[in-house]
Amino acid sequence: MTAEVWTWIIVLLTFALYLGIGYWARVRETTGFYVAGRGVPPVANGAATAADWMSGASFISMAGLISFLGFDGAVYLMGWTGGYVLLALLLAPYLRKYGKFTVPEFVGDRYYSNVARVVAVISALFVSFVYVVPQLRGVGIVLSRYLGVDVATGVWAAVLVTAFIAVIGGMKGITWTQVAQYTVLIIAYLITGIALANLLTGNPIPQLAFTFSDFAVRLSQLQVELGLNEYVKPFQSLSQLNVFLITLTLMVGTAGLPHVIIRFYTVPKASDARWSAGWALLFIALLYTTAPAVAVFSKYNLLNTLANKPVEEVQQIDWVQKWSKTGLLKLEDKNGDGIYQITASRDTNEITIDRDIIVLSTPEVAKLSPIVVGLVAAGGLAAALSTAAGLLIVMASAISHDLYTRIINPQASETTKLTIARVVILLVTVLAAPFGINPPAFIAQLVAFAFGLAASTFFPAILLGIFDRRMNTQGAVAGMLVGLIFTATYIVGTNYLGWPRFVFGISPEGIGTVGMLLNFLVAYLVSRATPPPPAEIQKLVDEIRVPKGAGQAAEH
Amino acid sequence: MSGLEAYWKENLNLIRNLLIIWALVGYVLGILLAEPLNAIRLFGGPPLGFWIAQQGSIYVFVILIFYYAYRMAALDRKYGFED
């Protein structure tokens, strides 16, 4: 059977599995809908968090991104894993102990203010919406590339599957489909990583092959010979200051992203939230430590197969023909010498490799069975669908729970609350679909924007809410607003209005760290100049500091 | 409240120590000292600075969280705060 037939079979089977789990996990009460009844075991929650967190881009584009950045790709590797240390030590167990449904709810209650609640709702909606659009688009692209359906059909397929699961199963349906999606995506990623490592080094474990072989150095030397950057040398694409600040922004942003935080509400106990964060990072690390190995091996293999080779020889390779057709691989003998040269200059370079090829072409390059091609497609879909579902529930709960139930109609019945939440999910997916089909060009920058905003608004507000008993409404709201306005202005100004990078040349991706520091500073000064929070709030802070009692909260 | 204060203090000390390791590995070894560390190659593999930034630091992050969960479970028991 051909790769395309296998892909159809595997994709349809996995979609049926997700829908089946979604139906099995259907819920009838709000605790099930918002926090999966708080009954998810820590290991399962770790797998669900890993799928929730690893987006379509992590699966499809990250290894490619690293292979083009070389050392500086570390901003993504360390930035997107190191944030879990902050999450586990500073936020997760306390938020679980607090034991409500959403992130804006914690902010609103802790700061006894609907202004703070609304600021948090708006931030949560913004961050989640810009993040869900590329996920839907990712599904469309994977389906169109492997199965030949058009991107719009693919996006609507994604909308139907995720909306079905989220509407009938809420957080419970999402959780258990995410566990299945993690399994699919990690198997797909590891199979390709293992095959590639085995092909080049004879060592089947990608992490060990990366550590104990000299391929990174060989790739580095090959790139220097070709006139490209020195792969293992730091700070070639980004300055040291920017590597530092982008890594920190991505870490703090990760810890502050609402769709990641709410996953820790679903475990039975506060102590489970700590273990669960460990499992989540372990499951994420399986992919994130394979990615740099895939980056080195496939880049070496690609360059070694294509660069300075005769045109006829290269044109006869199967996967070269196939990927040339997609436009992701462009070969052009510009100087007509019968040999493909790769150079750093756009005018003379004859080999253009789209970074998405690094992962997507691996099964064919490593001559794996056509089943694996189908599995990689299913893995990319699982990564995008699971993240989309996690973001949908954040948006639905921010509107239905925080805006409607907490502010507009606190007396709403259980049935009304659930109906509103379900309608909101449908509305949000239908609204997001056109953006997935025709994404605005700036969507990639918006994702970086989302991290900057999460870092400069949510993270300080939640952290201070737990660790500073004296923090009050005035301080938190002033801090969030200053963080938000400063970060947003800098990103918009430097990206779109042609402003120079006026803060020490910091790139817009790394400015969230500065916004966060400003938030902390302003929050501290304003809170100390205004009255302390009421006694019952200080008592609440004492209560969330100890795990005891979280089990009882689960019963309600 | 004295139990809570002692518990919280021990917790804060543990968090501080682990975050120092987190910053030391990720930011000092992985970024600030990456260039000098790249002069060292372990086991004939990639240069050390590059390896820490792209691989080693992630292993350390995983260990830090499990160690924290383990130590906090003991601390919860010591003060009778387990849930």
Side-chain angles (χ1 to χ4, degrees), chain A residues 438-495:
Chain A
N438 291 308
F442 47 82
I443 202 74
Q445 283 161 343
L446 284 183
V447 173
F449 203 171
F451 279 92
L453 290 183
S456 61
T457 58
F458 278 131
F459 182 77
I462 302 172
L463 186 77
L464 291 170
I466 298 160
F467 288 84
D468 182 12
R469 204 188 277 136
R470 176 67 176 70
M471 186 49 58
N472 58 12
T473 314
Q474 294 88 332
V477 172
M480 280 201 285
L481 286 177
V482 167
L484 181 78
I485 292 167
F486 170 79
T487 308
T489 311
Y490 192 86
I491 293 175
V492 172
T494 52
N495 273 334

Side-chain angles (χ1 to χ4, degrees), chain A residues 70 94 211 232 270 289 548, chain B residues 11 31 38 51 54-55 81 83:
Chain A
Y94 312 108
T211 304
V232 295
T289 55
K548 194 173 181 164
Chain B
N11 181 13
I31 298 173
N38 257 5
W51 185 83
Q54 295 220 337
Q55 192 107 102
F81 284 143
D83 47 1

Side-chain angles (χ1 to χ4, degrees), chain A residues 280-338:
Chain A
L281 186 57
L282 181 68
F283 290 135
I284 291 166
L286 270 179
L287 192 147
Y288 273 58
T289 55
T290 305
V294 169
V296 165
F297 295 139
S298 47
K299 183 88 178 286
Y300 181 84
N301 203 31
L302 277 172
L303 291 181
N304 211 27
T305 317
L306 302 177
N308 296 329
K309 292 284 161 25
V311 169
E312 314 86 73
E313 189 187 316
V314 172
Q315 286 301 344
Q316 275 163 14
I317 305 172
D318 273 355
W319 57 262
V320 170
Q321 292 172 1
K322 187 172 172 202
W323 289 97
S324 298
K325 265 185 241 158
T326 64
L328 295 180
L329 181 64
K330 291 194 194 95
L331 296 162
E332 191 192 351
D333 186 13
K334 287 177 186 161
N335 59 7
D337 65 352

Side-chain angles (χ1 to χ4, degrees), chain A residues 70-71 78 82 94 207 210-213 232 234-235 240 248 251 269-271 274 278 289 542 545-548, chain B residues 1 4 7-8 11 22 27 30-32 35 38 43 45-46 51 53-55 57 59 65-66 72 76 81 83:
Chain A
F71 175 98
M78 285 202 288
Y94 312 108
Q207 289 80 357
F210 178 85
T211 304
F212 296 106
S213 76
V232 295
F235 322 127
Q240 187 168 31
L248 192 51
M251 282 195 195
K269 297 185 292 184
S271 53
R274 300 183 199 126
T289 55
D542 281 335
R545 288 181 177 184
V546 292
K548 194 173 181 164
Chain B
M1 286 311 279
L4 173 65
Y7 168 84
W8 190 243
N11 181 13
W22 166 84
Y27 291 94
I31 298 173
L32 297 177
E35 265 174 316
N38 257 5
F43 323 113
W51 185 83
Q54 295 220 337
Q55 192 107 102
S57 57
Y59 301 135
I65 300 180
F66 278 108
M72 284 307 288
D76 290 348
F81 284 143
D83 47 1

Side-chain angles (χ1 to χ4, degrees), chain A residues 94, chain B residues 7-15 68 72 75:
Chain A
Y94 312 108
Chain B
Y7 168 84
W8 190 243
K9 206 169 167 212
E10 282 201 53
N11 181 13
L12 289 182
N13 285 340
L14 179 59
I15 291 174
Y68 179 69
M72 284 307 288
L75 203 59

